[in-house]
Amino acid sequence: WQLWFRPEVLQRLGEERVVYQAYNVVNGIVTRESAAPRAYRVLADVARAKNADVGTVVLAALKRRGVATIPRASSPNHLAANAPQAVASIALDDGEADTIDAAMKALMSGRDLPPEQPVVATFTSSLDAAVRLFWRNPDTGEEVLNGEVSGGDGLRIHTHPGHTFRAY
């Protein structure tokens, strides 16, 4: 709660070099899906794009903000999703982190995101050849060229939750 609604507390802790630690924070966010369904969908979309569990994405976003966490694991699957290796494997850029923060704030407060919360997606390629990136129109199935990504470069696209892309 302090993270999103009392930022001055975190700022002061940082100034004093005191670590902020959260316990069981994933449960406090992901169990609020019915209170903010659009916000939850944003988290689920990021998790799907990262091939990760929603809880793992939440922990990665908190880690990025310098928050130490003690996640509770009620099953072997939760234990694997909450493991430091799983959390560390999730790289978030600034746009993704901002999107996740907005979604988590909405879930914590119970005030959902406005419809069509924009998303910034970053595509990268490790291939030597350029890769063409296409957005798939959900109504027509048509693929629309959005740009090219060369090896080591990135392409940032403003999009919306649920949009799908293909790379060739």
Side-chain angles (χ1 to χ4, degrees):
W1 186 264
Q2 304 293 338
L3 271 172
W4 300 282
F5 303 104
R6 303 262 328 269
E8 70 279 3
V9 172
L10 288 178
Q11 181 178 346
R12 178 70 176 175
L13 290 173
E15 290 167 1
E16 298 296 326
R17 300 176 62 104
V18 174
V19 174
Y20 183 80
Q21 186 168 352
Y23 173 74
N24 196 21
V25 69
V26 172
N27 190 47
I29 292 172
V30 300
T31 60
R32 297 173 184 258
E33 178 180 0
S34 63
R38 286 186 297 273
Y40 187 85
R41 189 178 69 236
V42 166
L43 284 180
D45 287 345
V46 172
R48 189 173 20 269
K50 299 291 183 180
N51 197 27
D53 182 85
V54 170
T56 309
V57 169
V58 168
L59 292 172
L62 292 170
K63 177 182 177 282
R64 189 176 194 276
R65 292 188 71 169
V67 175
T69 59
I70 301 175
R72 192 179 83 190
S74 58
S75 71
N77 287 343
H78 284 156
L79 185 61
N82 296 345
Q85 304 90 317
V87 174
S89 73
I90 305 295
L92 302 171
D93 66 28
D94 292 341
E96 291 167 328
D98 291 346
T99 298
I100 293 167
D101 267 358
M104 290 193 297
K105 184 175 183 178
L107 286 159
M108 291 295 291
S109 70
R111 290 187 297 269
D112 208 356
L113 295 174
E116 294 299 315
Q117 177 72 16
V119 174
V120 177
T122 302
F123 298 89
T124 59
S125 172
S126 60
L127 300 175
D128 292 333
V131 175
R132 296 174 58 173
L133 185 70
F134 294 85
W135 168 71
R136 185 178 172 276
N137 183 319
D139 298 323
T140 66
E142 176 188 9
E143 292 185 349
V144 178
L145 180 64
N146 267 223
E148 288 189 3
V149 182
S150 298
D153 290 338
L155 175 65
R156 290 174 59 98
I157 296 175
H158 292 271
T159 185
H160 298 278
H163 282 188
T164 57
F165 295 85
R166 287 191 185 213
Y168 301 101

